[in-house]
C-alpha cells in the first residue's frame, strides 16, 4: 500500500500544535492572538498549572470522595514511583500487568469472551476492541468478543445464542461490584453455563472478575486467582487502562495493550510538562471555554472520520458529561459553565444525518473533526476511498467556517461555525491511547477551569433509588397501586397501565 510521506509539522500554520505526533489545528476557532493570550492568562490565574501538578502528584483532587484521580499511574510505563498518601502504587500496578501477561500466555482454546460490564466498565474497552480490530497490522486471536451491558435481555439472548458454553470465558467487570445490570447479567451467564452442562469446576475456570471490590467478587463465586483488582483512586470512566483493558491483551496480545498504555502515558507527559500555550488538552479546553463565553454554545460534536472510531463519541459522552455535567462547583456554589451536550458518530456517515443543522441551524455547535492520515485497510481501493474521506472532512470544516451567501435564504450558510481538526498519523494502539488520554486530560482541564470536581457522579444515584419501589410494584403484578412517597401519580398510572 502506498501512503504519502508524513508532512513535517514545520509546514503547518501557527494555529497548529503537535504532541505525540498528534496534530491539533485550531485555525477555524476564529480566536485571535489577543484572545488566546487572555485565555492562557485566565487559565494561569485560576491556577490550572497547580491543578495539573496536583493531579499527577496524587493529591486528593476528588474532594467529595476524598481521593486522588490517579488513572495516569495505570499507564505509567516508566514505573517511576507514584505516591498515594506516601505509598508508591506502582508495585501493585506492575503486578497486575504481570498477571495480565501471564494470563495471555495460557489463554488457549477460548472461542468466546463475554464481557459483562456497563458504563465505564464497558465503553472504553468496547471502543478499543472495535477500533483495533480495524488495524491491519494487529493480529487478533479471533475470539468472538461479546459485550453484555444492558439489562434488556435482548442483548443477553443474542449473545447466548451464539457463544459456545464449553469454550466461553466470562469476565465480570465492575468497579463497585454492586451495579444491578452487571450483577443480573453475570448471574444469567452463570445459569446458562450450568444449564449447558458445564461442571462446577469448568464454571469456576470460566469466570473472571475485574473490580475494586475483591471481597464482593469472591462472594459472587469468582476464584481469587481469576480476580484482577483495581483501586478506588481510579474513576470508573477512567478505568480502561487498568485490568478493565484485559481483553485488549487477550485478543490482540500483551504488546498491543502496552502500546495502548504507552500512547496514553506519552500524552500524560505532554499534559504534565508542556507550557499551557503548547498543551493540546489545555488548548482544546480553552477553545471550548471561549465558545461558551462568546457564542453561548450548549452542545459540541466529535466526528471521527474513521469508522474504527465509531464508538469514540459514546465513550466521550460518559467522559465529558458524567465528569462535568454538574451545576455545583467544588466549593458547593453554582457554576457559570459546565459540560455542553456531547454527541457524534463517524464521518462521512454523520454528514448524511445531522450536518444540515450544523450548517444552517440556529445553534452554533463546535465540532472536533478527527482525521487519520493513513487508511485503515490495505485493499487496492483504500487510498482512493481515503482521499474522499479526508476531502469530505476538510470540506465540511471549511464550509462551516466560511459559510456562503446567496440570494435565496434557503441557500445561505451563515458560517463562522468553529471547529478543531485533529490529525492522527495512523490509528494503532499507541495513537488510540494518546487520543483517549488527550480527551481525558481535556476533561480534567475543563473541570478545573469550571471549578467542577470531574471525578464523582452523584447525579446517577437518585434514579437508581427510585427504580427499586417501581420494580417492586411491577413485580407485584396486577394490583392497582396508588401514589406513595416514592411513586408519584403519573408514575403510578404508568405502572398500572403496564400491569393491566
Ligand atoms: O451509574 C453510573 C456508574 O456508576 C458509572 O460511573 C460507572 O462507570 C458505571 O455505573 C458502572 O459502575 P461499576 O463499574 O461499578 O459497575
Amino acid at each position: 500500500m502506498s501512503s504519502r510521506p508524513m508532512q513535517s509539522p514545520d509546514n503547518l500554520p501557527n494555529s497548529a500544535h503537535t504532541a505525540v505526533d498528534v496534530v491539533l489545528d485550531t485555525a477555524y476557532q476564529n480566536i485571535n492572538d489577543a484572545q488566546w493570550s487572555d485565555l492562557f492568562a485566565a487559565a494561569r490565574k485560576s491556577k490550572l498549572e497547580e491543578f495539573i501538578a496536583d493531579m499527577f502528584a496524587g493529591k486528593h483532587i476528588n474532594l467529595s470522595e476524598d481521593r486522588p484521580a490517579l488513572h495516569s499511574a495505570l499507564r505509567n510505563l516508566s514505573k517511576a514511583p507514584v505516591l498515594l498518601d506516601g505509598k508508591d502504587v506502582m508495585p501493585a500496578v506492575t503486578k497486575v500487568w504481570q498477571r495480565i501477561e501471564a494470563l495471555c500466555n495460557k489463554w488457549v482454546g477460548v472461542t468466546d469472551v463475554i464481557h459483562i460490564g456497563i458504563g465505564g466498565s464497558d465503553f472504553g474497552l468496547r471502543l478499543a476492541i472495535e477500533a483495533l480490530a480495524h488495524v491491519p497490522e494487529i493480529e487478533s486471536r479471533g475470539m468472538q468478543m461479546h459485550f453484555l451491558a444492558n439489562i434488556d435481555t435482548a442483548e443477553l439472548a443474542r449473545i447466548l445464542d451464539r457463544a459456545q458454553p464449553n469454550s466461553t470465558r466470562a469476565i465480570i467487570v465492575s468497579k463497585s461490584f454492586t451495579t444491578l445490570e452487571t450483577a443480573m447479567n453475570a448471574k444469567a451467564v452463570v445459569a446458562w453455563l450450568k444449564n449447558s452442562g458445564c461442571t462446577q469446576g469448568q464454571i469456576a475456570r470460566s469466570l473472571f472478575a475485574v473490580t475494586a471490590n475483591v471481597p464482593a467478587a469472591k462472594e459472587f463465586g469468582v476464584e481469587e486467582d481469576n480476580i484482577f483488582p483495581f483501586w478506588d483512586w481510579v474513576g470508573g470512566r477512567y478505568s480502561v487502562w487498568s485490568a478493565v483493558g484485559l481483553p485488549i491483551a487477550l485478543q490482540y496480545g500483551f504488546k498491543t495493550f502496552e502500546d495502548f498504555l504507552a500512547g496514553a502515558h506519552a500524552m500524560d507527559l505532554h499534559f504534565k510538562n508542556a507550557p499551557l500555550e503548547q498543551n493540546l488538552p489545555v488548548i482544546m479546553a480553552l477553545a471550548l471555554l471561549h465558545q461558551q463565553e462568546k457564542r453561548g454554545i450548549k452542545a459540541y460534536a466529535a466526528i471521527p472520520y474513521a469508522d474504527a472510531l465509531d464508538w469514540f463519541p459514546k465513550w466521550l459522552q460518559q467522559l465529558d458529561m458524567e465528569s462535568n455535567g454538574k451545576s455545583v462547583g467544588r466549593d458547593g456554589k453554582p457554576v457559570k459553565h459546565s459540560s455542553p451536550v456531547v454527541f457524534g458518530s463517524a464521518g462521512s456517515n454523520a454528514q448524511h444525518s445531522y450536518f444540515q443543522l450544523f450548517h444552517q441551524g440556529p445553534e452554533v455547535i463546535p465540532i472536533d473533526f478527527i482525521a487519520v492520515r493513513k487508511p485503515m485497510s490495505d485493499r487496492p481501493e483504500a487510498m482512493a476511498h481515503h482521499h474522499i474521506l479526508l476531502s469530505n472532512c476538510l470540506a465540511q470544516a471549511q464550509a462551516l467556517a466560511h459559510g456562503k451567501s446567496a440570494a435565496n435564504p434557503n441557500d445561505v450558510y451563515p458560517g463562522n461555525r468553529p471547529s478543531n481538526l485533529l490529525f492522527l498519523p495512523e490509528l494503532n494502539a499507541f495513537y488510540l491511547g494518546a487520543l483517549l488520554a488527550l480527551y481525558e486530560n481535556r476533561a480534567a482541564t475543563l473541570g478545573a477551569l469550571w471549578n467542577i470536581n470531574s471525578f464523582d457522579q452523584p447525579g446517577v444515584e437518585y434514579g437508581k433509588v427510585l427504580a427499586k419501589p417501581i420494580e417492586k410494584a411491577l413485580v407485584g403484578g396486577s394490583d392497582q397501586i396508588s401514589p406513595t412517597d416514592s411513586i408519584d401519580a403519573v408514575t403510578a398510572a404508568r405502572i398500572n397501565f403496564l400491569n393491566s
Side-chain angles (χ1 to χ4, degrees):
M1 178 194 61
S2 71
S3 71
R4 285 175 301 178
M6 295 281 290
Q7 196 183 10
S8 140
D10 298 347
N11 293 338
L12 291 164
N14 287 343
S15 55
H17 300 267
T18 308
V20 198
D21 299 330
V22 175
V23 175
L24 164 69
D25 189 355
T26 59
Y28 289 151
Q29 289 289 347
N30 202 8
I31 303 175
N32 64 33
D33 289 350
Q35 288 170 324
W36 275 120
S37 299
D38 289 349
L39 286 165
F40 289 118
R44 285 212 165 82
K45 204 167 158 219
S46 67
K47 300 203 182 325
L48 177 62
E49 286 150 314
E50 288 83 343
F51 172 84
I52 296 172
D54 286 352
M55 180 168 124
F56 284 100
K59 297 253 174 79
H60 288 215
I61 58 169
N62 178 353
L63 294 177
S64 62
E65 296 174 334
D66 191 18
R67 294 170 186 162
L70 264 182
H71 45 281
S72 57
L74 300 170
R75 52 211 190 200
N76 171 24
L77 291 176
S78 76
K79 298 185 192 164
V82 175
L83 298 184
L84 166 59
D85 302 332
K87 192 168 170 243
D88 185 11
V89 301
M90 288 317 296
V93 171
T94 309
K95 195 171 158 206
V96 171
W97 290 338
Q98 288 161 350
R99 287 188 57 204
I100 293 175
E101 189 170 14
L103 186 64
C104 287
N105 295 333
K106 57 179 198 195
W107 192 261
V108 283
V110 180
T111 57
D112 299 85
V113 174
I114 306 181
H115 176 274
I116 310 166
I118 198 165
S121 294
D122 174 40
F123 290 125
L125 178 72
R126 205 186 297 213
L127 160 61
I129 292 286
E130 298 282 336
L132 299 179
H134 288 70
V135 180
E137 293 79 23
I138 293 182
E139 268 186 44
S140 161
R141 271 190 163 150
M143 294 172 297
Q144 293 300 315
M145 297 289 313
H146 309 279
F147 293 94
L148 182 50
N150 205 317
I151 191 71
D152 185 340
T153 48
E155 209 170 19
L156 180 73
R158 192 173 42 84
I159 293 169
L160 299 187
D161 272 354
R162 292 178 191 173
Q164 302 173 42
N166 286 316
S167 48
T168 288
R169 302 286 180 274
I171 308 180
I172 308 164
V173 182
S174 176
K175 179 180 171 184
S176 60
F177 226 83
T178 58
T179 302
L180 190 60
E181 291 96 326
T182 302
M184 296 280 284
N185 280 329
K187 278 184 202 149
V189 170
V190 171
W192 168 75
L193 288 169
K194 251 186 219 155
N195 296 338
S196 310
C198 293
T199 63
Q200 217 34 59
Q202 267 177 314
I203 294 175
R205 280 191 296 280
S206 306
L207 266 191
F208 290 78
V210 180
T211 185
N213 185 355
V214 173
K218 277 196 213 161
E219 201 179 308
F220 182 84
V222 185
E223 298 203 333
E224 195 155 4
D225 283 353
N226 286 0
I227 300 175
F228 289 75
F230 65 104
W231 305 277
D232 66 1
W233 41 266
V234 180
R237 56 194 170 273
Y238 300 86
S239 65
V240 67
W241 320 101
S242 70
V244 172
L246 171 68
I248 302 170
L250 296 173
Q251 182 74 312
Y252 302 125
F254 187 71
K255 169 79 175 58
T256 301
F257 181 57
E258 264 186 337
D259 288 347
F260 179 60
L261 301 186
H265 179 53
M267 188 56 79
D268 281 344
L269 292 179
H270 164 75
F271 178 55
K272 189 177 167 193
N273 299 322
L276 300 186
E277 286 76 2
Q278 290 159 29
N279 199 311
L280 263 56
V282 173
I283 296 168
M284 288 178 77
L286 290 176
L288 189 86
L289 212 67
H290 175 86
Q291 304 303 350
Q292 275 188 317
E293 281 285 336
K294 302 285 177 205
R295 314 286 300 278
I297 62 114
K298 297 273 181 284
Y300 92 95
I303 312 291
Y305 274 71
D307 214 56
L309 292 176
D310 201 32
W311 269 88
F312 176 77
K314 288 179 208 152
W315 169 83
L316 184 60
Q317 285 183 316
Q318 189 198 16
L319 173 69
D320 274 4
M321 295 197 276
E322 196 168 86
S323 298
N324 291 327
K326 294 160 188 170
S327 313
V328 171
R330 284 181 290 201
D331 51 6
K333 298 195 178 123
V335 290
K336 186 173 175 204
H337 295 300
S338 68
S339 177
V341 172
V342 189
F343 66 103
S345 52
S348 59
N349 307 20
Q351 288 173 208
H352 302 271
S353 173
Y354 40 79
F355 270 50
Q356 162 65 38
L357 182 147
F358 291 168
H359 287 285
Q360 291 187 315
E363 298 290 333
V364 173
I365 300 183
I367 299 167
D368 286 352
F369 289 99
I370 303 170
V372 183
R373 298 186 67 191
K374 209 174 132 190
M376 304 255 349
S377 123
D378 44 17
R379 291 191 54 79
E381 61 276 24
M383 212 59 213
H385 283 230
H386 198 59
H387 286 146
I388 297 173
L389 186 69
L390 290 179
S391 61
N392 268 280
C393 175
L394 299 180
Q396 292 296 329
Q398 186 178 320
L400 286 159
H402 299 301
K404 187 168 86 65
S405 52
N408 179 346
N410 269 332
D411 297 333
V412 172
Y413 292 67
N416 194 14
R417 310 231 146 169
S419 65
N420 287 321
L421 184 53
L422 276 170
F423 286 115
L424 303 186
E426 60 183 297
L427 188 53
N428 57 21
F430 182 88
Y431 291 118
L432 180 67
L435 179 70
L436 269 52
L438 167 63
Y439 275 86
E440 284 185 353
N441 290 327
R442 170 187 168 281
T445 303
L446 282 166
L449 296 171
W450 289 324
N451 195 28
I452 283 174
N453 176 7
S454 307
F455 302 102
D456 64 2
Q457 56 287 324
V460 302
E461 296 308 326
Y462 187 39
K464 293 182 194 170
V465 172
L466 287 188
K468 290 210 166 106
I470 295 175
E471 183 203 345
K472 211 168 148 204
L474 286 173
V475 173
S478 56
D479 288 350
Q480 284 276 317
I481 69 147
S482 308
T484 65
D485 282 352
S486 54
I487 300 180
D488 73 4
V490 172
T491 304
R494 292 172 180 177
I495 293 169
N496 290 331
F497 167 73
L498 287 169
N499 282 344
S500 63

